[in-house]
Amino acid sequence: MADTVKKILLVEDDRQLSDLVTDFLTSEGYHVKQEFRGDTVAKRVELFSPDLIILDIMLPGKDGFAVCRDLRPTFFGPILMLTAKGTDFDQVLGLEIGADDYVIKPVEPRVLLARITALLRRGELPNQSQEIGEISYGHLQINRASRKVTLKDENVDLTSQEFDLLWLLAIKAGEVQNRDYIYKAVVGREYDGLDRSVDVRISRLRKKLFDDTETPFRIKTIWGQGYLFVPDAWN
C-alpha cells in the first residue's frame, strides 16, 4: 500500500454492518482491516499499526470502553466510538477514557466519512501554527513535529485531539479562544451548542498538566467566552 493510504481498523461484531462500512471506506480510498472481538484488538493494533480505529462499544470478549482505556497508553491515533448507545453518560465516558469522537448508529456513510476525515486531519491548525515547530512556557515544552509534550522533563501522554487542543491554546497564549473557533480548528465541525467533547478534553488536559481542576490557573475558563492558556503559569 502507498504511504499516503490511511489505515483504519474497524472493530464491530455485527459482520454485515462491518462489511458494509469496510466496502464503503475502501471505495473512498482507505485500507480497512476488520476485527470482531474486543479482546483481540490490542494484538491487531500491534500488527496492523492503524492510523485510526473505529470502535464499537458492545463487543464480545471485552467492551469498547475497556478496549479504549487499555489502548490509550500506547496508541496515540484517533479513536472513533461507533455505538448504538446515545445517552450523554456514554458519550462523556467514552471521551473521558480517551476516545476522540463518537457517532451513534445507525449513521449515514457520509457522516461517518466526514468524522473520519476530520479526525485524520491531525495537527492541521490554521495560520501561524504551521510555521512554529516548538513552544516553551516555563517547564512546559510542546513539540509539534513529534507531537511530544513534557512538563518538568516528564512526558505527558495525550491523545491526538488533546494535543491539537493544547497546541491551539498555546500558540494563542494570553488570548481567549471561543468554542466556535476551537471546534472548527480541532474537532473539524461547527459547534452545535450541545457537544461537550471540548469541555471533557479541557478537563483531561488540566488533570494531565497538574492544573487545579476546581480553580484552574493554567487553562482558565472564561465564562461565556471560552478558554485561556496562561503563559506565565508553568514555572
Side-chain angles (χ1 to χ4, degrees):
M1 303 297 288
D3 291 340
T4 55
V5 175
K6 295 295 186 181
K7 297 188 292 183
I8 295 176
L9 178 62
L10 172 60
V11 187
E12 167 61 67
D13 67 326
D14 182 331
R15 291 177 181 258
Q16 183 177 10
L17 175 60
S18 184
D19 287 343
L20 288 171
V21 173
T22 297
D23 290 345
F24 172 72
L25 293 179
T26 299
S27 73
E28 293 294 329
Y30 292 102
H31 180 197
V32 184
K33 291 283 189 181
Q34 296 171 287
E35 194 62 52
F36 305 104
R37 295 182 58 88
D39 53 0
T40 56
V41 172
K43 187 63 176 179
R44 178 58 70 94
V45 170
E46 181 182 344
L47 295 173
F48 183 49
S49 298
D51 296 291
L52 178 144
I53 297 172
I54 301 174
L55 181 62
D56 190 23
I57 288 181
M58 302 303 292
L59 295 166
K62 182 186 290 187
D63 69 60
F65 289 136
V67 173
C68 183
R69 186 184 297 110
D70 291 347
L71 285 176
R72 265 312 172 206
T74 55
F75 179 75
F76 303 108
I79 296 178
L80 175 64
M81 304 295 282
L82 181 62
T83 174
K85 291 189 172 184
T87 67
D88 188 60
F89 170 78
D90 288 326
Q91 296 165 14
V92 172
L93 176 59
L95 295 170
E96 286 180 341
I97 62 176
D100 292 283
D101 202 355
Y102 55 86
V103 290
I104 300 170
K105 296 186 289 188
V107 61
E108 290 292 327
R110 290 292 167 184
V111 173
L112 180 62
L113 180 63
R115 296 294 182 88
I116 291 170
T117 301
L119 288 173
L120 288 173
R121 216 178 280 135
R122 294 177 55 173
E124 294 182 8
L125 299 176
N127 304 327
Q128 71 266 39
S129 66
Q130 297 289 350
E131 303 171 8
I132 303 171
E134 187 168 1
I135 301 174
S136 296
Y137 295 102
H139 296 295
L140 178 70
Q141 285 82 43
I142 311 170
N143 187 292
R144 182 173 177 270
S146 64
R147 301 180 72 82
K148 181 179 179 181
V149 177
T150 60
L151 181 59
K152 293 186 177 180
D153 297 323
E154 296 290 333
N155 288 336
V156 181
D157 292 331
L158 302 179
T159 68
S160 58
Q161 284 200 359
E162 287 169 357
F163 180 90
D164 290 342
L165 177 55
L166 177 61
W167 181 266
L168 178 67
L169 295 173
I171 62 170
K172 300 283 190 177
E175 302 176 21
V176 178
Q177 303 304 311
N178 65 47
R179 282 181 173 81
D180 289 337
Y181 177 72
I182 291 173
Y183 271 85
K184 289 176 185 176
V186 177
V187 182
R189 60 179 185 270
E190 300 282 341
Y191 177 53
D192 62 7
L194 299 174
D195 192 331
R196 298 175 57 191
S197 59
V198 167
D199 300 319
V200 173
R201 291 189 184 97
I202 288 288
S203 177
R204 286 175 54 83
L205 275 178
R206 286 170 174 158
K207 291 176 182 177
K208 292 181 178 183
L209 296 171
F210 301 101
D211 201 355
D212 188 323
T213 55
E214 295 296 325
T215 310
F217 63 96
R218 288 178 161 169
I219 302 176
K220 293 184 176 181
T221 300
I222 309 301
W223 297 110
Q225 298 183 52
Y227 295 103
L228 172 69
F229 181 98
V230 181
D232 57 356
W234 305 92
N235 296 316

